[in-house]
Amino acid sequence: MGARVRAELWAGVLWSLAFAAVAAEPLPVSAVAEGVYVHWGAQEDSSPRNLGDIANLGFVVGERCVAVIDTGGTAEVGRRLRAAVRQVTPLPVCYVINTHVHPDHIFGNGAFEAESPTFVGHVKLPQAMAARGSTYLHALERDFGDAARGTKVIAPGTVVMDEAQLDLGGRVLKLRAWPTAHTDNDLTVYDVRTGTLFLSDLLFVERIPVVDGSLKGWLALHPRILALEPARVVPGHGMVKGSLGGALAAQEQYLSTLQLEVRAAIGKGWTLRQAVDRVGTPEGRNWLLWDSFHKRNVTAAYAELEWED
Amino acid sequence: MKGFVGKLLLGGLLGLAVVVGTGSAADEKAKDEPWPKLSKVLFGDRTIKEDAGDVLTLEAPVRAEDAAVVPIAIRTRLEQTPEKYIRKIYLVIDKNPSPVGVVFTLTPDSGKADLETRVRIEEYTHVRAIAETNDGSLFMATKFVKASGGCSAPAGKDLEAAMARLGKMKFRVDKEVAYNQPNQAQLMISHPNISGLAMDQVTRLYAPPHFVRKIDVSYAGKTILTAEVDFTISENPNFRFYFVPRGEGELKAEVVDTNDLRFETSVALRGAPGS
């Protein structure tokens, strides 16, 4: 094959990559700080109608390249996020960071593969993907049909055990892997230049928090998160309108009430089923998607707390 | 090359057959139902009385809120006597990777064959409890459970924590029991109960299976209950059951897992005053 033919082939490949990138409708994003962009996910259950676009996604632009923070619930959301990046900058995506294993955060990963970024996650993310990936994919294919097309699980090439830094060229992101809380693989991202902290699902705003790791572990993180004193915070779901302290207090109110009531239920000898049917305060119902997740939270809390002596 | 074309043609014909087969959605659905086959394997051509509410009922949530921890209760109407008792209860989850995940064996000393446990469910599925009485009759209760969606998965939540606590066991039972009647007890076993079906996305290797496979419960040396189980049971296997104490004794549980690790726990019980 001659050099010229090869060059033409490459031009073709590049052109189709570029075409793929522009073919998707860009997700709307807001610049929350200089070089920091956020797409606010819908405060809904994941569905074919919203394509699994229910989590907050972000990207940070350095001088050399871009880091994407979570990629959405389907390959299509990922493609749209990538299109949004392209509207802002021609710089390549060098890192795709997954804040934890949940499908609304990782299923857009495939859209970025063409740019050969380094996928980054918590040290326990690969194991969680191994244990849950096929279930998530199967459920997505079952519930979304064609809208799930192209969606796949991509495990991180780089994992964070404790803390790590990513250099985007003149701009450093500090990553922190947390002990079990929302899940056992929660990772946060802090943009040093602007003081923006991507807390992901360690903070839910208005939408009911989901306990899929450890209730006690999560409550124990609250004071540590508050002590970080970031200039601004991007939760995994919803927008912080007042202070971080206020948003954390609301979440703590729900989680600590859940803990109190489930402990009491276990103390009274209620079975798991009885606890699921009975635990829940009237004011709790102010959370969005209460009906979808509260019973699940009671289940998880019960299974965790019954081992207390 | 000829062989290749042949295969392609065959593939095409099979494809056509499948397309023709989808003519009726109901037929297609029926074809997916694993129960007829499972029933055949488990019970051959024996008659199973369905909707046997006079013998047993099954309690399962309409929707698996947390796919990893779905509470299941089996309630029975027969008193366990030496003359007539339920000797086996099969818990079958049609669409699970291991549908026959739990087989309980009971005795007259169980007093009451009521059982509660927690299972993993990842798919829309029928859940069945089939009771076999000591005369060999079979009775079935069935519930349909919808899978949970979104970010729920049958996997455990914190493998490291579960491994750290591996083998820890606990009985929850009143220390003072009522003699000669069924008393309820709960057995808790800390175990990750790993299926071995999860493939590591990086290494492409499967994590080795590691789950509880057998549980024996006795009181004062007499068998109350044995359970042959697998990873269908949730992480940290949990059982509620009944037993009839005839006098002071030790309630004891012995557990064996797939790595041949053995765990046991026991609690000394005596009669409540006046019992």
Side-chain angles (χ1 to χ4, degrees):
Chain A
M1 200 189 295
R4 208 175 63 108
V5 178
R6 235 175 320 182
E8 275 169 10
L9 271 177
W10 272 112
V13 168
L14 288 175
W15 185 85
S16 29
L17 285 178
F19 181 76
V22 295
E25 173 85 6
L27 288 180
V29 293
S30 326
V32 298
E34 182 268 307
V36 183
Y37 298 83
V38 175
H39 168 69
W40 305 102
Q43 293 279 56
E44 300 168 2
D45 248 337
S46 187
S47 72
R49 199 178 48 75
N50 59 35
L51 291 170
D53 174 17
I54 59 161
N56 295 337
L57 315 173
F59 56 94
V60 180
V61 183
E63 281 157 28
R64 184 174 62 82
C65 61
V66 179
V68 169
I69 301 154
D70 286 340
T71 56
T74 51
E76 179 59 17
V77 176
R79 284 190 284 270
R80 293 180 184 185
L81 178 62
R82 189 168 165 224
V85 173
R86 284 295 150 259
Q87 279 197 325
V88 168
T89 173
L91 290 172
V93 174
C94 49
Y95 296 107
V96 171
I97 304 163
N98 289 135
T99 59
H100 62 292
V101 73
H102 285 157
D104 49 328
H105 298 261
I106 65 167
F107 266 166
N109 281 9
F112 294 90
E113 248 186 335
E115 301 199 29
S116 302
T118 301
F119 290 88
V120 185
H122 189 290
V123 67
K124 290 185 183 170
L125 181 62
Q127 174 193 292
M129 282 179 164
R132 293 158 174 255
S134 61
T135 298
Y136 287 163
L137 207 51
H138 173 71
L140 191 79
E141 285 161 358
R142 178 191 69 209
D143 299 340
F144 280 51
D146 280 350
R149 193 173 293 158
T151 301
K152 57 180 171 176
V153 177
I154 298 179
T158 294
V159 295
V160 183
M161 281 188 69
D162 182 21
E163 290 182 25
Q165 299 199 352
L166 301 179
D167 188 350
L168 309 180
R171 182 164 209 153
V172 169
L173 298 181
K174 288 190 171 180
L175 275 47
R176 187 192 287 235
W178 296 89
T180 306
H182 168 61
T183 66
D184 73 350
N185 51 94
D186 300 317
L187 184 76
T188 58
V189 181
Y190 181 69
D191 173 49
V192 177
R193 189 189 288 175
T194 64
T196 306
L197 177 63
F198 287 84
L199 271 177
S200 190
D201 284 7
L202 288 178
L203 179 62
F204 283 66
V205 177
E206 291 168 1
R207 179 191 176 105
I208 186 170
V210 175
V211 182
D212 200 16
S214 162
L215 175 59
K216 288 202 281 184
W218 199 348
L219 280 165
L221 286 197
H222 276 201
R224 292 179 62 189
I225 292 168
L226 196 59
L228 297 174
E229 297 186 336
R232 76 185 59 70
V233 157
V234 182
H237 301 270
M239 261 182 234
V240 177
K241 283 161 189 154
S243 66
L244 170 60
L248 277 173
Q251 176 168 277
E252 179 146 351
Q253 170 71 25
Y254 173 71
L255 294 178
S256 59
T257 305
L258 177 69
Q259 178 173 256
L260 197 73
E261 293 190 4
V262 171
R263 267 190 190 140
I266 294 167
K268 279 183 276 196
W270 291 3
T271 64
L272 170 57
R273 182 74 184 269
Q274 288 168 329
V276 165
D277 288 342
R278 298 176 193 170
V279 167
T281 54
E283 64 267 27
R285 294 175 185 281
N286 295 331
W287 289 94
L288 297 173
L289 299 174
W290 170 274
D291 290 336
S292 299
F293 295 102
H294 177 67
K295 286 182 172 186
R296 175 176 168 186
N297 286 338
V298 174
T299 307
Y302 189 108
E304 177 183 352
L305 297 174
E306 72 185 329
W307 281 93
E308 291 181 325
D309 285 315
Chain B
M1 196 61 196
K2 202 175 172 189
F4 182 60
V5 172
K7 265 184 205 154
L8 272 181
L9 189 63
L10 186 61
L13 285 174
L14 285 175
L16 188 68
V18 169
V19 170
V20 171
T22 53
S24 155
D27 288 355
E28 192 63 13
K29 220 175 163 186
K31 241 195 296 179
D32 281 355
E33 288 304 328
W35 174 243
K37 250 185 217 162
L38 288 168
S39 170
K40 191 99 181 163
V41 170
L42 285 171
F43 306 112
D45 292 325
R46 292 162 65 189
T47 306
I48 302 172
K49 185 170 183 271
E50 297 189 22
D51 302 319
D54 51 334
V55 175
L56 84 167
T57 54
L58 177 66
E59 290 176 13
V62 174
R63 179 179 143 127
E65 302 290 347
D66 184 332
V69 189
V70 183
I72 299 285
I74 295 154
R75 312 261 177 236
T76 59
R77 295 283 153 79
L78 291 183
E79 198 187 333
Q80 297 283 95
T81 65
E83 293 72 39
K84 179 150 194 187
Y85 62 97
I86 293 172
R87 70 179 175 204
K88 276 195 192 294
I89 293 181
Y90 300 78
L91 184 61
V92 177
I93 302 169
D94 287 9
K95 299 276 182 81
N96 264 18
S98 169
V100 191
V102 193
V103 182
F104 295 106
T105 303
L106 299 130
T107 68
D109 290 308
S110 310
K112 200 168 162 183
D114 287 23
L115 296 160
E116 286 181 43
T117 189
R118 302 164 193 172
V119 297
R120 296 172 159 143
I121 292 181
E122 69 176 295
E123 190 47 274
Y124 288 75
T125 184
H126 283 101
V127 177
R128 305 164 193 278
I130 301 106
E132 183 182 64
T133 49
N134 59 324
D135 63 4
S137 307
L138 297 167
F139 304 89
M140 178 160 78
T142 308
K143 278 270 156 67
F144 189 74
V145 178
K146 287 191 206 162
S148 46
C151 58
S152 182
K157 306 208 186 310
D158 191 342
L159 182 59
E160 194 175 295
M163 288 306 287
R165 225 175 34 200
L166 176 81
K168 190 179 165 192
M169 286 164 69
K170 212 151 99 167
F171 267 124
R172 277 172 180 261
V173 58
D174 286 335
K175 285 266 167 14
E176 292 185 341
V177 291
Y179 288 154
N180 302 316
Q181 55 175 287
N183 287 247
Q184 199 185 38
Q186 182 183 11
L187 173 64
M188 300 164 61
I189 305 160
S190 190
H191 201 289
N193 241 31
I194 300 164
S195 71
L197 298 176
M199 186 174 66
D200 191 303
Q201 302 294 317
V202 180
T203 61
R204 314 303 284 179
L205 296 173
Y206 288 88
H210 189 192
F211 53 83
V212 169
R213 61 184 172 87
K214 189 153 194 277
I215 298 151
D216 282 278
V217 181
S218 62
Y219 183 74
K222 287 165 88 177
T223 298
I224 298 296
L225 167 81
T226 63
E228 308 276 347
V229 298
D230 67 18
F231 52 84
T232 289
I233 295 285
S234 304
E235 176 180 84
N236 301 328
N238 196 305
F239 303 91
R240 281 179 199 248
F241 58 91
Y242 284 88
F243 68 105
V244 179
R246 311 274 175 204
E248 280 183 30
E250 199 179 51
L251 183 65
K252 185 172 171 184
E254 295 168 274
V255 171
V256 185
D257 75 11
T258 48
N259 289 8
D260 275 333
L261 294 175
R262 280 156 203 276
F263 314 103
E264 63 171 67
T265 189
S266 62
V267 55
L269 302 175
R270 58 186 174 81
S275 81

